[in-house]
Amino acid sequence: MPSLSNAAVRDIETVIHPYTNLDAFRTSGPMILERGEGIHVWDADGRKYIEGMAGLWCTSLGYSEQELIDAATEQMKQLPFTHIFGGKSHERAAEVAEKLKAIAPHKASKVLFCGSGSEANDQQMKLVWYYNNALGRPKKKKIISRIKGYHGVTVASASLTGLPNNHRDFDLPIAGVLHTDCPNFYRDAHPGETEDEFTTRMAANLEKMIIKEDPDTVAAFIAEPIMGAGGVIIPPEGYFPKIQAVLNKYDIYFIADEVICGFGRTGNMFGSQTFGIKPDSISVAKALSSAYVPIGAVTIGEDMYQAMIDESKKIGTFGHGFTYTAHPIAAAVAAKTLEIYEKRNIVGHVRSVAPRFEERMAKLNDHPLVGQARAKGLIGAIELVADKETKRNFDAKAAMGVTVQKACEKHGVILRAIGDVVAFCPPLIVKEADIDEIFDATEKALNDVEHVVAKEGLRNA
Ligand code: PLP
């Protein structure tokens, strides 16, 4: 183990790192990034990497977009802060809201801003409760999310998240949150089951859950079009229309969590459009500002808006809001980001390069370590297995995902291990040559790891 730099030691002694084994971290130390340009970042030792994960699925326009830097700088000079409580406002707020309304995959009436994806989903939960109280349906409050769904880490949004480590020892989930099946056909299909049979079973299970709970108590369903942090799980064709039909039958509000899939990632402006979802509301964050500044938002349909007005009349105020709701700098950057998506036709660009991404990803299916390689638009993953035939996993102690992630870093590409799934989500501005570079490096990394696996007999463990 090389000795740690002074910067690394300072970090270890002062900073808590999310999603990190805090014990192991004391020995390994951080990977400190120093600068970025285009799709590349450089670490503190001067090593250059392609950011193959767009940070955390978010830096859609790469790391040096001058128009965003200028938008933030201008706003900082003009009016660095105003809140929007009690009727105050600034022009950038309406500018972003208008742009979001124009592209939303449902008829949006208003926009409620916040600071992150977690806050967006937290707001969704509060609004669903508020709405049903306004409509005189105080029992209709439960929210169904999915196993392996990821919706954030606040008390409410972590409860919606369907991953054990977000619940364990945090005393979550809270009451009233239920988790239905994850549509992972590769892992969870019964022997001989077709995709059509599988998706029918998923919808039937959801309906059984709703009936068991009592439909009058179930208010909303939340789903990412493609599950990201749960392992890049792409639903089979037909899954969402069948789920949607069940929700419609029981008057259940559909929240599409577009925090990763929003703004072009899957080849349409929103993942909802790619997968035939007709949401009542969407949550957005991340690529809303290309992640240059924190901002999130929830779109509000007219029914919800009217209910909020009714509650305001009754209570005297809409009793919710953050100091940083529609923060002017974040709003200025988000407005510019949405303008860039439109004027540079980012969806068209994703569509033009996605075939190369999908084709290079599909080729990884031939690699002995890869059980399944999957992609849609510019998001994808490889699932590492010890045995392709039986889909048997490697021993967890081998930490195969992290091993491949580190091998990719050696070859100059940052990817992200989620257990034994390795995720890819490059900035949306990647060109075909960049995609080739990402996959050439990944192939080399997989070959390096395969060499060690064969030599050390790790498949037999
Ligand atoms: N929803 C989805 C789909 C996400 O992927 C994430 C974060 O990765 C969140 C919500 C939470 O967003 P944040 O980390 O900004 O709170």
Side-chain angles (χ1 to χ4, degrees):
M1 170 85 48
S3 65
L4 294 167
S5 67
N6 184 33
V9 172
R10 282 173 61 205
D11 186 286
I12 290 170
E13 295 310 337
T14 52
V15 181
I16 296 292
H17 288 267
Y19 291 103
T20 299
N21 178 327
L22 297 180
D23 179 47
F25 175 72
R26 293 196 61 79
T27 321
S28 64
M31 172 190 198
I32 297 178
L33 294 177
E34 230 166 47
R35 72 187 183 91
E37 194 182 316
I39 62 164
H40 294 100
V41 291
W42 281 259
D43 70 15
D45 297 323
R47 271 189 298 263
K48 180 181 178 185
Y49 305 88
I50 293 184
E51 226 315 350
M53 269 300 291
L56 280 175
W57 336 79
C58 52
T59 43
S60 48
L61 296 173
Y63 288 80
S64 50
E65 180 49 63
Q66 192 60 42
E67 289 193 49
L68 298 186
I69 298 163
D70 292 344
T73 311
E74 284 314 306
Q75 187 60 46
M76 185 81 93
K77 284 188 200 152
Q78 192 187 320
L79 181 69
F81 180 75
T82 176
H83 64 83
I84 64 164
F85 286 20
K88 286 209 175 55
S89 203
H90 58 85
E91 283 185 27
R92 300 283 92 77
E95 197 179 328
V96 187
E98 279 167 4
K99 286 183 194 296
L100 262 180
K101 277 182 60 176
I103 56 174
H106 72 108
K107 209 161 172 353
S109 170
K110 305 287 176 288
V111 174
L112 177 57
F113 290 103
C114 56
S116 67
S118 298
E119 286 178 6
N121 290 325
D122 204 293
Q123 292 191 150
Q124 293 280 18
M125 199 146 159
K126 288 178 76 178
L127 288 178
V128 162
W129 292 341
Y130 207 59
Y131 176 67
N132 282 297
N133 287 331
L135 296 188
R137 311 192 294 198
K139 269 179 26 188
K140 202 166 173 72
K141 296 288 168 59
K142 292 175 192 161
I143 308 203
I144 301 181
S145 130
R146 299 176 302 168
I147 294 163
K148 295 218 172 187
Y150 189 82
H151 302 292
V153 295
T154 62
V155 170
S157 63
S159 296
L160 296 173
T161 291
L163 295 166
N165 290 347
N166 294 100
H167 295 163
R168 215 175 138 189
D169 290 348
F170 286 118
D171 294 1
L172 296 174
I174 55 172
V177 175
L178 308 158
H179 294 92
T180 188
D181 301 308
C182 165
N184 188 344
F185 184 74
Y186 174 70
R187 280 282 166 204
D188 299 333
H190 291 162
E193 196 173 37
T194 64
E195 280 195 356
D196 188 45
E197 288 161 350
F198 175 77
T199 53
T200 300
R201 178 161 63 84
M202 298 286 102
N205 285 350
L206 173 65
E207 183 160 18
K208 265 186 240 155
M209 175 184 269
I210 294 166
I211 292 169
K212 181 168 161 269
E213 294 292 328
D214 175 2
D216 288 345
T217 70
V218 181
F221 174 81
I222 182 166
E224 307 151 79
I226 291 176
M227 284 180 175
V232 189
I233 296 162
I234 305 173
E237 180 107 3
Y239 166 78
F240 274 116
K242 287 180 193 173
I243 292 288
Q244 181 109 46
V246 173
L247 301 173
N248 291 349
K249 188 166 163 189
Y250 297 103
D251 187 19
I252 294 171
Y253 189 84
F254 194 143
I255 301 161
D257 183 342
E258 292 274 5
V259 169
I260 287 180
C261 292
F263 310 109
R265 177 59 62 190
T266 66
N268 286 294
M269 191 50 94
F270 291 97
S272 293
Q273 290 144 344
T274 303
F275 292 97
I277 300 169
K278 302 214 168 347
D280 294 297
S281 173
I282 59 169
S283 294
V284 289
K286 295 192 190 277
L288 173 57
S289 61
S290 189
Y292 279 35
V293 283
I295 184 168
V298 163
T299 54
I300 310 271
E302 187 58 27
D303 283 3
M304 175 67 82
Y305 179 54
Q306 287 306 324
M308 292 162 78
I309 288 192
D310 290 346
E311 286 293 294
S312 274
K313 269 194 221 150
K314 185 178 89 187
I315 299 169
T317 184
F318 172 57
H320 171 89
F322 302 102
T323 301
Y324 300 141
T325 294
H327 189 288
I329 294 167
V333 174
K336 185 56 76 178
T337 303
L338 296 181
E339 183 191 313
I340 292 175
Y341 290 157
E342 193 187 344
K343 73 183 177 195
R344 295 192 201 157
N345 186 12
I346 202 76
V347 170
H349 172 73
V350 171
R351 284 188 188 172
S352 73
V353 298
R356 180 66 138 255
F357 185 81
E358 291 171 5
E359 176 196 313
R360 291 291 312 250
M361 185 68 84
K363 230 178 112 214
L364 294 182
N365 277 308
D366 298 334
H367 196 277
L369 286 173
V370 176
Q372 191 194 40
R374 45 189 183 251
K376 186 84 193 166
L378 284 178
I379 182 168
I382 51 177
E383 187 151 344
L384 306 165
V385 290
D387 185 327
K388 284 165 90 84
E389 206 51 43
T390 62
K391 305 177 187 174
R392 179 169 56 84
N393 288 320
F394 281 98
D395 189 323
K397 281 197 222 92
M400 204 45 70
V402 173
T403 305
V404 169
Q405 176 189 310
K406 294 238 174 296
C408 288
E409 282 166 14
K410 261 199 194 143
H411 289 285
V413 173
I414 295 179
L415 300 176
R416 182 175 175 82
I418 303 167
D420 281 353
V421 169
V422 180
F424 298 62
C425 187
L428 300 180
I429 56 169
V430 275
K431 301 193 176 71
E432 284 191 348
D434 304 322
I435 291 171
D436 282 338
E437 224 183 295
I438 293 170
F439 284 97
D440 290 348
T442 306
E443 283 171 7
K444 283 187 203 143
L446 285 169
N447 290 341
D448 293 351
V449 175
E450 171 59 25
H451 186 70
V452 175
V453 165
K455 201 167 104 202
E456 296 185 8
L458 295 178
R459 279 201 171 78
N460 312 322

